């Protein structure tokens, strides 16, 4: 943590380029309001991380700043960054001017990877059910409310085709 303190631009250089706008928007929101702001973004190792001689003498690499071996501890899914949830609490002068902030970082990489897997699996499941030649419908008990109905089931039940997954009685 001590190595992440200090120069804001040095720390921002470890934020994934696509996510810097998210973090900057959170900081602008922090300027406008007095309550903490939460955002999610990715931290990355530097582009030349791990190359011999890539870090000048006396410099601190982003892997060192984020903890030795952090990139290697990721699941083997080709991921080279970590997802973080950052809650920023503002520090203000007595007049109300923002002079800084404190943050709590939580590593949410595993949750993000699991959520991506669940989305992908759910999408494949829906595509499979939608294209089965037999009628399939899922209901929520005990009232029997339909949750998902494929096109063949709607056809067999004599309902309209434009009801995306629901029954029309």
């Amino acid at each position: 943590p001590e190595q992440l303190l200090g120069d804001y631009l040095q720390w921002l250089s470890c934020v994934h380029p696509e996510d810097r706008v998210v973090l900057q928007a959170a900081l602008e929101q922090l300027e406008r309001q007095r309550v903490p702001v939460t955002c999610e973004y990715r931290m990355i190792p530097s582009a030349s991380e791990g190359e011999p001689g890539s870090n000048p003498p006396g410099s601190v690499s982003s892997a060192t700043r984020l903890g030795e071996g952090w990139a290697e501890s990721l699941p083997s899914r080709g991921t080279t960054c970590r997802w973080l949830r950052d809650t920023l609490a503002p520090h203000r002068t007595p007049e109300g001017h923002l002079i800084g902030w404190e943050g709590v970082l939580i590593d949410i990489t595993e949750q993000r990877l699991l959520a991506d897997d669940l989305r992908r699996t759910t999408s494949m499941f829906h595509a499979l059910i939608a294209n089965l030649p037999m009628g399939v419908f899922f209901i929520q008990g005990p009232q029997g409310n339909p949750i998902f109905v494929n096109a063949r089931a709607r056809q067999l039940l004599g309902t309209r085709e434009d009801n995306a997954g629901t029954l029309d009685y």
Side-chain angles (χ1 to χ4, degrees):
E2 298 81 23
Q3 293 155 339
L4 279 173
L5 297 175
D7 184 36
Y8 167 72
L9 294 177
Q10 180 181 353
W11 174 74
L12 189 61
S13 71
C14 293
V15 175
H16 193 284
E18 294 173 8
D19 296 340
R20 289 178 187 156
V21 66
V22 171
L23 186 57
Q24 289 168 338
L27 293 175
E28 289 171 9
Q29 185 179 359
L30 195 64
E31 178 73 40
R32 291 189 304 272
Q33 64 188 39
R34 298 196 174 282
V35 296
V37 173
T38 299
C39 61
E40 295 180 1
Y41 55 89
R42 294 166 287 180
M43 295 289 277
I44 58 172
S46 64
S48 58
E49 192 78 27
E51 296 174 12
S54 62
N55 296 316
S59 71
V60 179
S61 71
S62 61
T64 302
R65 287 193 304 267
L66 294 173
E68 289 298 333
W70 72 275
E72 292 76 24
S73 67
L74 292 172
S76 58
R77 299 183 192 182
T79 306
T80 59
C81 62
R82 297 214 65 91
W83 276 97
L84 301 175
R85 179 175 295 129
D86 195 352
T87 302
L88 305 168
H91 283 274
R92 299 186 178 279
T93 64
E95 296 80 32
H97 300 290
L98 182 68
I99 56 172
W101 60 86
E102 289 181 359
V104 175
L105 292 173
I106 300 172
D107 186 335
I108 59 168
T109 305
E110 273 301 313
Q111 293 90 331
R112 283 291 208 146
L113 292 173
L114 291 171
D116 289 346
D117 286 348
L118 180 60
R119 256 189 303 282
R120 194 172 22 263
T121 302
T122 301
S123 177
M124 289 178 359
F125 175 72
H126 281 277
L128 172 69
I129 298 298
N131 292 304
L132 281 175
M134 62 185 74
V136 176
F137 63 97
F138 294 99
I139 60 170
Q140 181 181 15
Q143 290 80 20
N145 297 328
I147 299 171
F148 182 81
V149 181
N150 73 353
R152 181 66 178 138
R154 287 192 303 270
Q155 182 184 39
L156 291 170
L157 295 169
T159 61
R160 298 189 337 227
E161 288 291 322
D162 61 349
N163 296 341
T166 62
L167 290 175
D168 183 28
Y169 293 107

